[in-house]
Amino acid sequence: MLMCLVLGGLLVALGVRDGGYFPSDHLLPAAIAAGCAAVALAAVRRWYPSRDALVVLGSLLGLAAWTGLSAGWSPDPAGADLEMERALGYAAIVLLALLAIGNGRRTALLLRVVVGALVVVSGIALLSRLRPEWVGTDPAILFASQGRLAHPVTYWNGLGAIAGMGLLGATGLAGDLREHVVVRAAASAGAVICGAVLYLTLSRGAGIATILAAALVLVGSARRGQYASALLISLAGATASVLLLRGNPIFVDAPSTLAEQQAEGGPILLGILLFAAAAAAAQSVAARVGDRIELWRARRRRLSAHSPRTLAVPAVTLVLVALMGYAVLGDALEGRAAGASGDLRSFVDRQYESFMNPIETSQAGEERLTSANTSRGKVYEVALGGFADNPLVGDGAAGFRVRWVAEREFAEDLRNAHSLPLETASDLGLVGLLLLGGVFVPLGLAFRGMRRRDGGLTRSQATTGTAIVAVWMVHSAIDWDWQLAAVTAPALVAGAALLSPRRRRR
Protein backbone atom coordinates (compact mmCIF):
# COMPACT_ATOMS: atom_id res chain seq x y z
CA MET A 1 0.00 0.00 0.00
CA LEU A 2 2.83 2.38 0.84
CA MET A 3 4.40 1.93 -2.59
CA CYS A 4 1.07 2.79 -4.25
CA LEU A 5 0.88 6.01 -2.25
CA VAL A 6 4.49 6.84 -3.14
CA LEU A 7 3.65 6.39 -6.82
CA GLY A 8 0.65 8.68 -6.46
CA GLY A 9 2.82 11.36 -4.88
CA LEU A 10 5.40 11.03 -7.65
CA LEU A 11 2.72 11.41 -10.34
CA VAL A 12 1.38 14.57 -8.73
CA ALA A 13 4.91 15.91 -8.28
CA LEU A 14 5.63 15.39 -11.99
CA GLY A 15 2.44 17.24 -12.87
CA VAL A 16 3.22 20.33 -10.81
CA ARG A 17 6.93 20.42 -11.78
CA ASP A 18 6.53 21.70 -15.36
CA GLY A 19 5.07 18.39 -16.44
CA GLY A 20 8.34 16.60 -15.74
CA TYR A 21 9.90 17.99 -18.92
CA PHE A 22 13.22 19.34 -17.70
CA PRO A 23 15.87 17.04 -16.19
CA SER A 24 15.57 18.81 -12.85
CA ASP A 25 11.86 18.00 -12.86
CA HIS A 26 11.86 14.29 -13.74
CA LEU A 27 15.21 12.94 -12.54
CA LEU A 28 14.44 13.32 -8.82
CA PRO A 29 11.08 11.47 -9.01
CA ALA A 30 12.77 8.80 -11.12
CA ALA A 31 15.56 8.44 -8.55
CA ILE A 32 12.99 8.11 -5.76
CA ALA A 33 11.14 5.45 -7.74
CA ALA A 34 14.40 3.56 -8.37
CA GLY A 35 15.38 3.73 -4.70
CA CYS A 36 11.97 2.52 -3.51
CA ALA A 37 12.05 -0.29 -6.07
CA ALA A 38 15.50 -1.38 -4.90
CA VAL A 39 14.32 -1.51 -1.28
CA ALA A 40 11.20 -3.44 -2.28
CA LEU A 41 13.22 -5.93 -4.33
CA ALA A 42 15.49 -6.55 -1.37
CA ALA A 43 12.55 -7.11 0.94
CA VAL A 44 10.21 -9.10 -1.32
CA ARG A 45 10.01 -12.84 -0.75
CA ARG A 46 7.85 -13.96 -3.65
CA TRP A 47 7.17 -11.95 -6.76
CA TYR A 48 5.51 -13.35 -9.86
CA PRO A 49 5.15 -10.60 -12.49
CA SER A 50 3.35 -11.55 -15.66
CA ARG A 51 5.29 -12.34 -18.81
CA ASP A 52 3.88 -9.32 -20.64
CA ALA A 53 4.86 -7.05 -17.76
CA LEU A 54 8.43 -8.29 -17.99
CA VAL A 55 8.38 -7.67 -21.76
CA VAL A 56 7.32 -4.05 -21.21
CA LEU A 57 9.95 -3.52 -18.52
CA GLY A 58 12.65 -5.16 -20.63
CA SER A 59 11.67 -3.10 -23.67
CA LEU A 60 11.96 0.13 -21.68
CA LEU A 61 15.40 -0.88 -20.45
CA GLY A 62 16.39 -1.89 -23.98
CA LEU A 63 15.10 1.42 -25.34
CA ALA A 64 17.16 3.27 -22.74
CA ALA A 65 20.28 1.27 -23.64
CA TRP A 66 19.81 1.81 -27.39
CA THR A 67 19.20 5.52 -26.79
CA GLY A 68 22.45 5.75 -24.85
CA LEU A 69 24.35 3.89 -27.56
CA SER A 70 22.96 6.26 -30.20
CA ALA A 71 24.93 9.09 -28.60
CA GLY A 72 27.85 7.68 -30.59
CA TRP A 73 26.29 8.82 -33.89
CA SER A 74 23.84 11.46 -32.71
CA PRO A 75 24.50 15.10 -33.69
CA ASP A 76 23.58 15.96 -30.08
CA PRO A 77 25.28 13.46 -27.74
CA ALA A 78 24.33 15.39 -24.62
CA GLY A 79 20.69 15.35 -25.67
CA ALA A 80 20.92 11.60 -26.29
CA ASP A 81 22.21 11.09 -22.75
CA LEU A 82 19.25 13.05 -21.38
CA GLU A 83 16.84 10.93 -23.40
CA MET A 84 18.47 7.78 -22.04
CA GLU A 85 17.97 9.05 -18.49
CA ARG A 86 14.32 9.76 -19.27
CA ALA A 87 13.74 6.20 -20.52
CA LEU A 88 15.51 4.78 -17.46
CA GLY A 89 13.22 6.89 -15.27
CA TYR A 90 10.16 5.39 -16.94
CA ALA A 91 11.58 1.90 -16.41
CA ALA A 92 12.09 2.67 -12.71
CA ILE A 93 8.50 3.89 -12.36
CA VAL A 94 7.13 0.80 -14.12
CA LEU A 95 9.26 -1.48 -11.93
CA LEU A 96 7.97 0.24 -8.78
CA ALA A 97 4.40 -0.11 -10.07
CA LEU A 98 4.87 -3.83 -10.73
CA LEU A 99 6.32 -4.30 -7.23
CA ALA A 100 3.46 -2.28 -5.72
CA ILE A 101 0.99 -4.61 -7.44
CA GLY A 102 2.83 -7.61 -6.07
CA ASN A 103 0.93 -10.73 -6.99
CA GLY A 104 -2.22 -8.82 -7.90
CA ARG A 105 -3.54 -7.84 -4.49
CA ARG A 106 -2.97 -4.09 -4.84
CA THR A 107 -3.91 -3.64 -8.47
CA ALA A 108 -7.26 -1.97 -7.83
CA LEU A 109 -5.69 0.38 -5.29
CA LEU A 110 -3.01 1.38 -7.77
CA LEU A 111 -5.67 2.28 -10.34
CA ARG A 112 -7.46 4.47 -7.80
CA VAL A 113 -4.17 6.20 -7.01
CA VAL A 114 -3.47 6.90 -10.70
CA VAL A 115 -6.94 8.34 -11.27
CA GLY A 116 -6.64 10.40 -8.09
CA ALA A 117 -3.33 11.87 -9.23
CA LEU A 118 -4.80 12.82 -12.63
CA VAL A 119 -7.76 14.52 -10.97
CA VAL A 120 -5.53 16.39 -8.50
CA VAL A 121 -3.35 17.79 -11.29
CA SER A 122 -6.49 18.78 -13.24
CA GLY A 123 -7.92 20.44 -10.14
CA ILE A 124 -4.76 22.50 -9.67
CA ALA A 125 -4.99 23.51 -13.33
CA LEU A 126 -8.60 24.64 -12.92
CA LEU A 127 -7.68 26.73 -9.87
CA SER A 128 -4.85 28.35 -11.83
CA ARG A 129 -7.43 29.76 -14.25
CA LEU A 130 -10.30 30.61 -11.90
CA ARG A 131 -8.38 31.40 -8.67
CA PRO A 132 -4.82 32.07 -9.87
CA GLU A 133 -3.78 33.67 -6.59
CA TRP A 134 -4.21 30.32 -4.82
CA VAL A 135 -1.65 28.39 -6.88
CA GLY A 136 0.85 31.05 -7.94
CA THR A 137 0.16 31.04 -11.67
CA ASP A 138 2.95 32.48 -13.82
CA PRO A 139 1.57 35.31 -16.04
CA ALA A 140 4.14 34.40 -18.71
CA ILE A 141 2.45 31.02 -19.22
CA LEU A 142 -0.90 32.71 -19.86
CA PHE A 143 0.71 35.01 -22.43
CA ALA A 144 2.72 32.29 -24.18
CA SER A 145 -0.25 29.92 -24.46
CA GLN A 146 -2.59 32.59 -25.91
CA GLY A 147 -5.11 31.88 -23.18
CA ARG A 148 -5.09 28.09 -23.51
CA LEU A 149 -4.89 26.54 -20.04
CA ALA A 150 -1.38 25.18 -19.50
CA HIS A 151 -0.47 25.58 -15.82
CA PRO A 152 1.04 23.64 -14.05
CA VAL A 153 2.23 21.39 -16.91
CA THR A 154 3.21 24.50 -18.98
CA TYR A 155 1.98 22.83 -22.21
CA TRP A 156 -1.71 22.97 -23.00
CA ASN A 157 -1.81 19.81 -25.12
CA GLY A 158 -0.05 17.83 -22.40
CA LEU A 159 -2.49 19.13 -19.80
CA GLY A 160 -5.34 18.24 -22.15
CA ALA A 161 -4.08 14.65 -22.33
CA ILE A 162 -3.91 14.50 -18.52
CA ALA A 163 -7.46 15.83 -18.27
CA GLY A 164 -8.68 13.34 -20.90
CA MET A 165 -7.09 10.42 -19.06
CA GLY A 166 -8.56 11.70 -15.81
CA LEU A 167 -12.03 12.10 -17.33
CA LEU A 168 -12.22 8.56 -18.71
CA GLY A 169 -10.36 6.97 -15.81
CA ALA A 170 -12.58 8.59 -13.19
CA THR A 171 -15.63 7.57 -15.20
CA GLY A 172 -14.40 3.99 -15.10
CA LEU A 173 -14.21 4.08 -11.30
CA ALA A 174 -17.62 5.72 -11.10
CA GLY A 175 -19.16 2.92 -13.16
CA ASP A 176 -17.57 0.03 -11.24
CA LEU A 177 -20.24 -1.88 -9.33
CA ARG A 178 -17.68 -3.21 -6.84
CA GLU A 179 -16.39 0.20 -5.81
CA HIS A 180 -17.68 1.84 -2.64
CA VAL A 181 -20.39 4.42 -3.24
CA VAL A 182 -18.18 7.19 -1.83
CA VAL A 183 -15.41 6.36 -4.30
CA ARG A 184 -17.88 6.29 -7.17
CA ALA A 185 -19.39 9.63 -6.23
CA ALA A 186 -15.99 11.27 -5.81
CA ALA A 187 -14.83 9.85 -9.14
CA SER A 188 -17.85 11.27 -10.93
CA ALA A 189 -17.17 14.71 -9.45
CA GLY A 190 -13.52 14.44 -10.50
CA ALA A 191 -14.55 13.55 -14.04
CA VAL A 192 -16.55 16.80 -14.26
CA ILE A 193 -13.49 18.81 -13.21
CA CYS A 194 -11.33 17.02 -15.76
CA GLY A 195 -13.91 17.72 -18.47
CA ALA A 196 -13.84 21.44 -17.71
CA VAL A 197 -10.02 21.47 -17.82
CA LEU A 198 -9.98 19.57 -21.11
CA TYR A 199 -12.15 22.28 -22.64
CA LEU A 200 -10.04 25.13 -21.24
CA THR A 201 -6.91 23.70 -22.88
CA LEU A 202 -8.61 23.96 -26.30
CA SER A 203 -6.48 20.98 -27.29
CA ARG A 204 -7.68 19.38 -30.51
CA GLY A 205 -5.39 16.38 -30.16
CA ALA A 206 -6.41 15.68 -26.57
CA GLY A 207 -10.08 15.93 -27.50
CA ILE A 208 -9.65 13.49 -30.40
CA ALA A 209 -7.68 11.06 -28.24
CA THR A 210 -10.34 11.18 -25.51
CA ILE A 211 -13.19 10.59 -27.95
CA LEU A 212 -11.43 7.66 -29.64
CA ALA A 213 -10.53 6.07 -26.30
CA ALA A 214 -14.13 6.44 -25.09
CA ALA A 215 -15.38 4.83 -28.30
CA LEU A 216 -12.94 1.93 -27.82
CA VAL A 217 -14.24 1.33 -24.31
CA LEU A 218 -17.90 1.64 -25.28
CA VAL A 219 -17.46 -0.85 -28.12
CA GLY A 220 -14.99 -3.28 -26.57
CA SER A 221 -15.90 -3.51 -22.90
CA ALA A 222 -18.09 -6.24 -21.50
CA ARG A 223 -19.21 -3.63 -18.96
CA ARG A 224 -20.14 -1.02 -21.51
CA GLY A 225 -23.55 -0.39 -19.96
CA GLN A 226 -22.09 0.46 -16.57
CA TYR A 227 -19.38 2.64 -18.12
CA ALA A 228 -21.82 4.42 -20.40
CA SER A 229 -24.19 5.17 -17.53
CA ALA A 230 -21.35 6.75 -15.54
CA LEU A 231 -20.16 8.61 -18.65
CA LEU A 232 -23.63 10.08 -19.13
CA ILE A 233 -23.51 11.57 -15.65
CA SER A 234 -19.95 12.84 -16.05
CA LEU A 235 -20.61 14.41 -19.45
CA ALA A 236 -23.78 16.07 -18.22
CA GLY A 237 -21.82 17.87 -15.49
CA ALA A 238 -18.91 18.62 -17.84
CA THR A 239 -21.25 20.03 -20.49
CA ALA A 240 -22.89 22.32 -17.96
CA SER A 241 -19.42 23.49 -16.87
CA VAL A 242 -18.38 24.15 -20.47
CA LEU A 243 -21.50 26.21 -21.13
CA LEU A 244 -20.81 28.23 -17.98
CA LEU A 245 -17.24 28.90 -19.11
CA ARG A 246 -18.36 29.82 -22.62
CA GLY A 247 -20.56 32.51 -21.13
CA ASN A 248 -17.46 34.23 -19.73
CA PRO A 249 -15.12 34.97 -22.67
CA ILE A 250 -12.29 36.27 -20.45
CA PHE A 251 -11.52 32.65 -19.54
CA VAL A 252 -11.50 31.20 -23.07
CA ASP A 253 -11.98 33.31 -26.20
CA ALA A 254 -10.71 36.64 -24.90
CA PRO A 255 -8.22 35.75 -22.18
CA SER A 256 -7.53 38.69 -19.92
CA THR A 257 -5.03 39.39 -17.19
CA LEU A 258 -4.69 37.23 -14.11
CA ALA A 259 -6.14 40.06 -12.02
CA GLU A 260 -9.35 40.12 -14.09
CA GLN A 261 -9.63 36.34 -13.99
CA GLN A 262 -9.13 36.43 -10.25
CA ALA A 263 -11.93 38.95 -9.87
CA GLU A 264 -14.41 36.97 -11.99
CA GLY A 265 -13.32 33.40 -11.30
CA GLY A 266 -14.95 32.86 -7.92
CA PRO A 267 -18.56 32.46 -9.11
CA ILE A 268 -17.47 30.32 -12.07
CA LEU A 269 -15.51 28.00 -9.80
CA LEU A 270 -18.48 27.73 -7.45
CA GLY A 271 -20.74 26.85 -10.37
CA ILE A 272 -18.39 24.11 -11.61
CA LEU A 273 -18.11 22.68 -8.09
CA LEU A 274 -21.91 22.63 -7.85
CA PHE A 275 -22.11 20.73 -11.14
CA ALA A 276 -19.49 18.30 -9.84
CA ALA A 277 -21.47 17.85 -6.63
CA ALA A 278 -24.62 17.22 -8.64
CA ALA A 279 -22.80 14.57 -10.67
CA ALA A 280 -21.59 12.96 -7.44
CA ALA A 281 -25.13 12.93 -6.07
CA ALA A 282 -26.50 11.45 -9.29
CA GLN A 283 -23.82 8.76 -9.25
CA SER A 284 -24.66 7.95 -5.62
CA VAL A 285 -28.28 7.41 -6.60
CA ALA A 286 -27.21 5.24 -9.51
CA ALA A 287 -24.95 3.23 -7.21
CA ARG A 288 -27.66 2.61 -4.63
CA VAL A 289 -30.60 2.02 -6.95
CA GLY A 290 -29.77 1.42 -10.60
CA ASP A 291 -26.76 -0.81 -10.07
CA ARG A 292 -28.60 -3.02 -7.59
CA ILE A 293 -31.29 -3.60 -10.18
CA GLU A 294 -28.64 -4.47 -12.76
CA LEU A 295 -26.95 -6.90 -10.39
CA TRP A 296 -30.30 -8.50 -9.61
CA ARG A 297 -30.95 -9.02 -13.30
CA ALA A 298 -27.42 -10.30 -13.93
CA ARG A 299 -27.86 -13.07 -11.39
CA ARG A 300 -30.90 -14.40 -13.21
CA ARG A 301 -30.03 -14.13 -16.83
CA ARG A 302 -27.20 -13.24 -19.15
CA LEU A 303 -27.96 -10.51 -21.63
CA SER A 304 -26.40 -10.80 -25.03
CA ALA A 305 -23.50 -8.42 -25.51
CA HIS A 306 -25.24 -7.06 -28.60
CA SER A 307 -28.82 -6.94 -27.38
CA PRO A 308 -30.73 -3.67 -27.86
CA ARG A 309 -30.97 -3.24 -24.09
CA THR A 310 -27.22 -3.49 -23.66
CA LEU A 311 -26.52 -1.08 -26.49
CA ALA A 312 -29.17 1.47 -25.55
CA VAL A 313 -27.15 3.32 -22.90
CA PRO A 314 -23.98 3.59 -25.04
CA ALA A 315 -26.12 4.94 -27.87
CA VAL A 316 -27.58 7.60 -25.61
CA THR A 317 -24.05 8.40 -24.41
CA LEU A 318 -22.83 8.98 -27.95
CA VAL A 319 -25.78 11.28 -28.55
CA LEU A 320 -24.82 13.28 -25.46
CA VAL A 321 -21.22 13.47 -26.66
CA ALA A 322 -22.49 14.90 -29.95
CA LEU A 323 -24.64 17.42 -28.08
CA MET A 324 -21.65 18.43 -25.95
CA GLY A 325 -19.58 18.96 -29.07
CA TYR A 326 -22.36 21.02 -30.58
CA ALA A 327 -22.59 23.10 -27.41
CA VAL A 328 -18.91 23.93 -27.76
CA LEU A 329 -18.63 24.27 -31.53
CA GLY A 330 -22.19 24.83 -32.68
CA ASP A 331 -21.86 28.50 -33.56
CA ALA A 332 -18.62 28.00 -35.48
CA LEU A 333 -19.92 24.96 -37.32
CA GLU A 334 -23.17 26.66 -38.28
CA GLY A 335 -21.29 29.69 -39.55
CA ARG A 336 -18.96 27.48 -41.55
CA ALA A 337 -21.87 25.53 -43.00
CA ALA A 338 -23.75 28.67 -43.94
CA GLY A 339 -20.77 30.16 -45.73
CA ALA A 340 -19.54 27.01 -47.41
CA SER A 341 -19.86 26.87 -51.15
CA GLY A 342 -18.80 23.26 -51.59
CA ASP A 343 -19.76 19.92 -50.17
CA LEU A 344 -18.22 17.81 -47.42
CA ARG A 345 -15.43 16.65 -49.69
CA SER A 346 -14.29 20.20 -50.35
CA PHE A 347 -14.31 20.90 -46.63
CA VAL A 348 -12.13 17.84 -45.97
CA ASP A 349 -9.83 18.87 -48.81
CA ARG A 350 -9.41 22.33 -47.30
CA GLN A 351 -8.59 20.89 -43.90
CA TYR A 352 -6.06 18.49 -45.41
CA GLU A 353 -4.43 21.32 -47.33
CA SER A 354 -4.31 23.41 -44.17
CA PHE A 355 -2.68 20.52 -42.30
CA MET A 356 -0.04 19.80 -44.94
CA ASN A 357 0.61 23.44 -45.89
CA PRO A 358 -0.07 25.50 -42.78
CA ILE A 359 -0.60 29.23 -42.82
CA GLU A 360 1.72 31.04 -40.43
CA THR A 361 -1.14 32.44 -38.37
CA SER A 362 -2.44 31.13 -35.07
CA GLN A 363 -6.09 30.85 -34.19
CA ALA A 364 -7.21 32.11 -30.81
CA GLY A 365 -9.95 30.73 -28.61
CA GLU A 366 -12.52 28.30 -29.95
CA GLU A 367 -11.64 29.22 -33.55
CA ARG A 368 -8.74 26.75 -33.44
CA LEU A 369 -11.11 23.85 -32.64
CA THR A 370 -12.63 24.00 -36.13
CA SER A 371 -9.37 24.33 -38.04
CA ALA A 372 -6.66 21.84 -38.97
CA ASN A 373 -4.08 24.58 -39.47
CA THR A 374 -0.94 23.29 -37.77
CA SER A 375 2.71 22.67 -38.49
CA ARG A 376 2.35 18.95 -37.76
CA GLY A 377 2.22 17.95 -41.43
CA LYS A 378 5.63 19.46 -42.19
CA VAL A 379 7.06 18.12 -38.95
CA TYR A 380 5.98 14.60 -39.82
CA GLU A 381 7.49 14.91 -43.31
CA VAL A 382 10.87 15.79 -41.81
CA ALA A 383 10.68 12.88 -39.35
CA LEU A 384 9.81 10.43 -42.10
CA GLY A 385 12.72 11.78 -44.11
CA GLY A 386 15.06 11.01 -41.23
CA PHE A 387 13.82 7.43 -41.12
CA ALA A 388 14.20 7.08 -44.89
CA ASP A 389 17.80 8.30 -44.74
CA ASN A 390 18.82 6.02 -41.85
CA PRO A 391 16.21 3.28 -41.59
CA LEU A 392 18.12 0.89 -39.35
CA VAL A 393 19.63 3.07 -36.60
CA GLY A 394 18.22 6.56 -37.28
CA ASP A 395 19.96 9.89 -36.80
CA GLY A 396 20.60 9.19 -33.12
CA ALA A 397 18.57 10.26 -30.08
CA ALA A 398 17.85 14.02 -29.97
CA GLY A 399 18.81 14.23 -33.64
CA PHE A 400 15.43 15.41 -34.88
CA ARG A 401 16.00 19.00 -33.78
CA VAL A 402 19.17 19.26 -35.89
CA ARG A 403 17.41 17.78 -38.92
CA TRP A 404 14.44 20.12 -38.45
CA VAL A 405 16.64 23.23 -38.38
CA ALA A 406 18.31 22.09 -41.59
CA GLU A 407 15.10 21.23 -43.49
CA ARG A 408 12.34 23.41 -42.04
CA GLU A 409 10.35 25.65 -44.37
CA PHE A 410 9.39 28.25 -41.77
CA ALA A 411 11.05 29.66 -38.67
CA GLU A 412 9.61 27.54 -35.88
CA ASP A 413 12.03 26.19 -33.29
CA LEU A 414 11.03 22.59 -32.56
CA ARG A 415 12.86 20.03 -30.46
CA ASN A 416 10.53 17.08 -31.01
CA ALA A 417 8.64 15.50 -33.87
CA HIS A 418 5.28 15.71 -32.05
CA SER A 419 4.81 11.96 -32.52
CA LEU A 420 6.44 9.24 -30.44
CA PRO A 421 6.47 6.59 -33.22
CA LEU A 422 7.75 9.00 -35.88
CA GLU A 423 10.38 10.56 -33.64
CA THR A 424 11.55 7.10 -32.59
CA ALA A 425 11.79 6.09 -36.24
CA SER A 426 13.74 9.22 -37.13
CA ASP A 427 16.11 9.13 -34.15
CA LEU A 428 16.48 5.41 -33.38
CA GLY A 429 15.49 3.69 -36.61
CA LEU A 430 13.93 0.27 -36.96
CA VAL A 431 15.68 -1.02 -33.83
CA GLY A 432 14.09 1.72 -31.76
CA LEU A 433 10.67 1.04 -33.29
CA LEU A 434 10.91 -2.64 -32.38
CA LEU A 435 11.79 -1.76 -28.78
CA LEU A 436 8.93 0.74 -28.64
CA GLY A 437 6.64 -1.98 -29.99
CA GLY A 438 7.69 -4.08 -27.02
CA VAL A 439 5.91 -1.48 -24.88
CA PHE A 440 2.87 -0.80 -27.05
CA VAL A 441 1.98 -4.33 -28.14
CA PRO A 442 1.66 -5.93 -24.67
CA LEU A 443 -0.34 -2.93 -23.46
CA GLY A 444 -2.62 -3.20 -26.47
CA LEU A 445 -3.10 -6.93 -25.91
CA ALA A 446 -3.98 -6.19 -22.28
CA PHE A 447 -7.11 -4.38 -23.50
CA ARG A 448 -8.69 -7.81 -23.83
CA GLY A 449 -9.11 -7.69 -20.06
CA MET A 450 -12.23 -5.63 -20.75
CA ARG A 451 -13.80 -8.75 -22.29
CA ARG A 452 -12.47 -11.53 -20.11
CA ARG A 453 -10.69 -11.61 -16.80
CA ASP A 454 -7.17 -12.90 -17.31
CA GLY A 455 -5.22 -10.92 -14.73
CA GLY A 456 -5.53 -9.32 -11.32
CA LEU A 457 -8.29 -6.93 -12.44
CA THR A 458 -12.00 -7.32 -12.86
CA ARG A 459 -13.45 -6.41 -16.26
CA SER A 460 -14.66 -3.05 -14.89
CA GLN A 461 -11.22 -2.26 -13.49
CA ALA A 462 -9.61 -3.29 -16.78
CA THR A 463 -11.97 -0.87 -18.51
CA THR A 464 -10.67 1.95 -16.31
CA GLY A 465 -7.04 1.12 -17.03
CA THR A 466 -7.70 0.67 -20.74
CA ALA A 467 -9.34 4.08 -21.01
CA ILE A 468 -6.28 5.77 -19.50
CA VAL A 469 -3.73 3.89 -21.59
CA ALA A 470 -5.76 4.33 -24.80
CA VAL A 471 -5.82 8.12 -24.44
CA TRP A 472 -2.04 8.13 -24.03
CA MET A 473 -1.45 5.79 -26.97
CA VAL A 474 -3.47 7.93 -29.35
CA HIS A 475 -2.18 11.25 -28.07
CA SER A 476 1.47 10.18 -27.98
CA ALA A 477 1.17 9.43 -31.70
CA ILE A 478 0.37 13.09 -32.43
CA ASP A 479 2.31 14.98 -29.75
CA TRP A 480 5.49 14.90 -27.65
CA ASP A 481 4.03 13.12 -24.62
CA TRP A 482 7.19 11.04 -24.16
CA GLN A 483 9.07 14.16 -23.08
CA LEU A 484 6.33 15.03 -20.57
CA ALA A 485 6.65 12.57 -17.71
CA ALA A 486 3.43 13.89 -16.18
CA VAL A 487 1.58 12.49 -19.20
CA THR A 488 3.50 9.27 -19.88
CA ALA A 489 4.15 8.06 -16.31
CA PRO A 490 0.44 7.76 -15.30
CA ALA A 491 -0.27 5.81 -18.48
CA LEU A 492 2.63 3.43 -17.86
CA VAL A 493 1.53 2.87 -14.26
CA ALA A 494 -2.03 2.18 -15.42
CA GLY A 495 -0.54 -0.14 -18.05
CA ALA A 496 1.37 -1.98 -15.32
CA ALA A 497 -1.96 -2.49 -13.56
CA LEU A 498 -3.45 -3.95 -16.74
CA LEU A 499 -0.55 -6.42 -16.88
CA SER A 500 -0.95 -7.58 -13.29
CA PRO A 501 -0.69 -11.34 -12.72
CA ARG A 502 -3.47 -13.62 -11.55
CA ARG A 503 -3.80 -13.78 -7.81
CA ARG A 504 -2.11 -16.89 -6.47
CA ARG A 505 -3.65 -18.98 -3.73
CA ARG A 506 -1.74 -21.04 -1.19
Side-chain angles (χ1 to χ4, degrees):
M1 181 176 180
L2 180 60
M3 286 187 286
C4 292
L5 297 179
V6 169
L7 276 169
L10 293 178
L11 295 181
V12 173
L14 288 170
V16 299
R17 293 170 62 89
D18 295 331
Y21 176 77
F22 298 102
S24 58
D25 298 323
H26 67 79
L27 288 181
L28 179 58
I32 294 174
C36 292
V39 172
L41 278 174
V44 70
R45 297 176 60 186
R46 293 183 179 89
W47 182 42
Y48 304 99
S50 67
R51 180 186 58 188
D52 289 344
L54 292 178
V55 169
V56 170
L57 181 60
S59 297
L60 285 172
L61 292 172
L63 189 62
W66 182 246
T67 301
L69 287 174
S70 72
W73 63 88
S74 171
D76 184 4
D81 291 339
L82 291 177
E83 290 302 316
M84 177 189 67
E85 293 169 355
R86 192 188 309 276
L88 285 173
Y90 289 146
I93 289 174
V94 169
L95 176 59
L96 182 59
L98 294 175
L99 288 167
I101 291 169
N103 296 326
R105 296 180 58 189
R106 301 294 183 185
T107 310
L109 174 61
L110 185 61
L111 270 180
R112 297 188 199 107
V113 167
V114 172
V115 173
L118 294 170
V119 172
V120 167
V121 174
S122 297
I124 294 172
L126 184 64
L127 291 177
S128 73
R129 176 55 53 91
L130 301 180
R131 304 300 298 179
E133 73 279 11
W134 291 359
V135 295
T137 305
D138 185 359
I141 297 178
L142 181 66
F143 175 78
S145 62
Q146 298 180 327
R148 289 168 282 181
L149 183 58
H151 187 86
V153 177
T154 69
Y155 182 48
W156 48 91
N157 290 335
L159 179 59
I162 290 174
M165 291 189 292
L167 170 62
L168 298 188
T171 299
L173 290 183
D176 189 350
L177 300 181
R178 300 192 180 190
E179 283 288 358
H180 192 278
V181 62
V182 175
V183 175
R184 298 181 65 179
S188 190
V192 172
I193 293 174
C194 291
V197 171
L198 178 58
Y199 167 71
L200 286 172
T201 64
L202 297 177
S203 174
R204 295 166 293 190
I208 292 172
T210 304
I211 291 173
L212 291 178
L216 170 67
V217 170
L218 290 173
V219 171
S221 176
R223 297 289 183 261
R224 65 167 69 95
Q226 301 167 16
Y227 190 88
S229 299
L231 190 58
L232 279 171
I233 296 173
S234 300
L235 288 180
T239 302
S241 301
V242 168
L243 293 175
L244 181 61
L245 289 166
R246 287 195 70 200
N248 295 268
I250 66 170
F251 298 109
V252 185
D253 274 335
S256 58
T257 63
L258 291 178
E260 292 175 316
Q261 293 181 353
Q262 176 181 340
E264 301 293 333
I268 305 301
L269 177 61
L270 178 60
I272 293 176
L273 292 178
L274 288 176
F275 293 140
Q283 189 58 59
S284 298
V285 173
R288 295 182 182 277
V289 179
D291 293 345
R292 291 184 180 181
I293 296 175
E294 186 170 346
L295 281 173
W296 179 79
R297 289 175 175 174
R299 292 192 186 101
R300 286 157 178 79
R301 61 178 177 177
R302 288 180 174 271
L303 293 176
S304 170
H306 302 287
S307 68
R309 184 176 300 179
T310 306
L311 296 176
V313 176
V316 173
T317 303
L318 293 177
V319 171
L320 185 59
V321 171
L323 291 176
M324 182 179 178
Y326 183 79
V328 176
L329 305 175
D331 296 339
L333 292 177
E334 287 181 0
R336 186 181 295 276
S341 58
D343 55 7
L344 178 62
R345 181 176 180 179
S346 65
F347 171 75
V348 173
D349 290 342
R350 289 196 303 273
Q351 297 304 318
Y352 177 78
E353 181 65 23
S354 180
F355 180 81
M356 297 304 299
N357 298 287
I359 304 173
E360 294 189 47
T361 58
S362 58
Q363 294 83 20
E366 292 182 357
E367 179 186 355
R368 69 188 309 275
L369 295 178
T370 57
S371 171
N373 186 54
T374 176
S375 61
R376 295 288 200 277
K378 296 299 182 182
V379 174
Y380 296 163
E381 285 184 358
V382 173
L384 288 172
F387 179 63
D389 291 344
N390 302 285
L392 182 60
V393 299
D395 291 336
F400 173 80
R401 183 185 183 188
V402 177
R403 177 174 287 272
W404 170 256
V405 171
E407 299 181 9
R408 65 187 177 185
E409 298 180 5
F410 44 86
E412 184 175 359
D413 186 18
L414 296 178
R415 294 176 178 269
N416 309 109
H418 288 73
S419 171
L420 176 57
L422 292 181
E423 183 166 351
T424 301
S426 178
D427 286 355
L428 302 176
L430 184 60
V431 176
L433 281 178
L434 291 175
L435 291 169
L436 184 64
V439 178
F440 272 66
V441 172
L443 291 179
L445 293 176
F447 291 175
R448 63 192 177 193
M450 295 190 298
R451 301 296 304 173
R452 66 177 188 268
R453 186 173 181 178
D454 56 359
L457 293 176
T458 65
R459 285 187 286 267
S460 295
Q461 292 164 349
T463 298
T464 301
T466 296
I468 295 173
V469 176
V471 172
W472 173 74
M473 281 187 169
V474 176
H475 196 261
S476 66
I478 57 177
D479 222 317
W480 44 281
D481 294 352
W482 187 257
Q483 285 72 28
L484 286 171
V487 180
T488 296
L492 292 178
V493 174
L498 288 177
L499 299 173
S500 64
R502 291 183 179 272
R503 296 183 183 178
R504 293 176 178 264
R505 297 184 179 183
R506 300 185 66 176

